[in-house]
Amino acid sequence: MKVTFLGTGTSQGIPVIGSTHPVCLSDNPKDKRLRVSVMITHNDNVYVIDCGPDFRAQMLNQNATKLDAILFTHEHADHTAGLDDIRPFFFKQGDIPIYAHQRVLKSLKRRFDYIFETENKYPGAPSVAQNIITNTSFFIADFKVTPINGMHNNLQVFGFRMEDFAYLTDMKTVADEEIEKLKNLDVLVINALREKEHISHFNLEEALAFIEKVKPKKAYLTHISHWLGFHEEVQQKLPENVYLAYDGLTINL
């Protein structure tokens, strides 16, 4: 299994439009972050978790030629706004399978009604194959996926475990019974927005405490804002098994 970080930034991305914050002005490519998403390649199948507003650029950056499924963590725009850009994949492959909570599918149908239209559909619009997920394991082809339930302030979100890899973003609280699903991980990816506390995201201290509780072999931080600081400086402060993810980073499991 191969995991590629397509984007590691928070909802505005880095640099933030019009910002003069030093991190936004950085020349280091690792300080430039598209909206958060990962690509997972397993047995030649390509899966993407979340499909934000930078989806087109991310697919071009990876020279992607196929897309076998999209899994959605929740309905916020920085995780869903790129759905229309599945069109090139749809034109080649047909309906693109998507996996989401029923509430998330309802939100997508409101915002992208033309994609879900069944009568008099615009011929240039893509189509999707809908799959409702609950807090129970499911399979995409032969690939087992275990949802990890969490809260993003007052909004339910899903993380996902796949083999010995788990991806959690936009988490603020995770119940103990969900943490039990994260035992014996090789790699955990978890959000760490900034140092200052935030109402709906782990800050750095909370993310590190969560990692200590889960005890993966390695952990990567994502959904990062410019307020966390320069990539190289933050990395030097992290425990030896914790890494700051960056756009384009690939890990093999």
Side-chain angles (χ1 to χ4, degrees):
M1 179 168 65
K2 181 173 77 171
V3 178
T4 302
F5 289 86
L6 302 176
T8 56
T10 187
S11 56
Q12 296 183 87
I14 304 174
V16 175
I17 295 171
S19 175
T20 57
H21 187 280
V23 174
C24 291
L25 301 178
S26 171
D27 291 328
N28 185 347
K30 293 181 180 179
D31 286 323
K32 301 183 188 301
R33 303 181 184 275
L34 299 176
R35 266 60 73 94
V36 68
S37 177
V38 290
M39 174 186 288
I40 296 164
T41 305
H42 180 263
N43 290 343
D44 294 324
N45 291 322
V46 176
Y47 310 118
V48 169
I49 301 180
D50 288 333
C51 180
D54 298 316
F55 177 75
R56 175 181 175 273
Q58 291 164 340
M59 294 296 97
L60 290 170
N61 288 343
Q62 295 302 316
N63 296 313
T65 59
K66 62 179 299 196
L67 178 64
D68 294 292
I70 304 171
L71 294 84
F72 287 103
T73 59
H74 63 298
E75 63 266 43
H76 284 169
D78 55 323
H79 300 259
T80 60
L83 185 59
D84 183 78
D85 285 325
I86 65 172
R87 282 182 291 159
F89 299 110
F90 165 71
F91 295 149
K92 289 171 62 178
Q93 301 172 214
D95 293 6
I96 303 300
I98 63 172
Y99 293 77
H101 189 287
Q102 189 168 20
R103 183 199 72 243
V104 176
L105 287 173
K106 184 177 180 181
S107 173
L108 293 174
K109 289 175 184 178
R110 285 198 305 270
R111 295 171 59 199
F112 298 96
D113 56 327
Y114 60 94
I115 290 178
F116 295 87
E117 185 60 70
T118 57
E119 296 181 9
N120 300 317
K121 183 168 183 169
Y122 177 67
S127 296
V128 296
Q130 303 174 53
N131 297 274
I132 296 172
I133 58 176
T134 60
N135 197 18
T136 56
S137 296
F138 60 95
F139 284 86
I140 306 177
D142 62 345
F143 197 33
K144 183 180 180 181
V145 181
T146 300
I148 311 297
N149 204 45
M151 296 299 293
H152 181 40
N153 189 18
N154 295 320
L155 180 70
Q156 179 274 341
V157 297
F158 276 138
F160 301 103
R161 177 172 184 160
M162 302 165 173
E163 296 180 349
D164 294 327
F165 167 81
Y167 180 84
L168 281 67
T169 187
D170 291 52
M171 296 287 182
K172 181 63 177 180
T173 55
V174 183
D176 287 343
E177 58 266 28
E178 298 299 308
I179 293 175
E180 283 293 307
K181 299 177 184 178
L182 299 171
K183 286 186 174 180
N184 302 315
L185 286 175
D186 286 340
V187 172
L188 169 68
V189 178
I190 186 70
N191 55 292
L193 186 71
R194 62 191 191 190
E195 290 191 358
K196 185 179 178 181
E197 189 172 357
H198 190 273
I199 191 171
S200 59
H201 288 275
F202 282 154
N203 65 1
L204 179 59
E205 181 181 3
E206 291 166 332
L208 292 176
F210 187 80
I211 292 166
E212 181 60 29
K213 198 168 189 177
V214 173
K215 298 187 185 306
K217 292 179 182 176
K218 291 182 180 180
Y220 291 84
L221 305 179
T222 194
H223 208 295
I224 295 159
S225 80
H226 57 294
W227 297 111
L228 188 60
F230 292 103
H231 180 98
E232 300 298 344
E233 293 180 4
V234 175
Q235 182 60 60
Q236 291 175 15
K237 302 174 185 177
L238 297 178
E240 64 178 11
N241 68 325
V242 180
Y243 305 89
L244 211 56
Y246 55 88
D247 292 18
L249 171 67
T250 294
I251 54 177
N252 292 287
L253 294 96

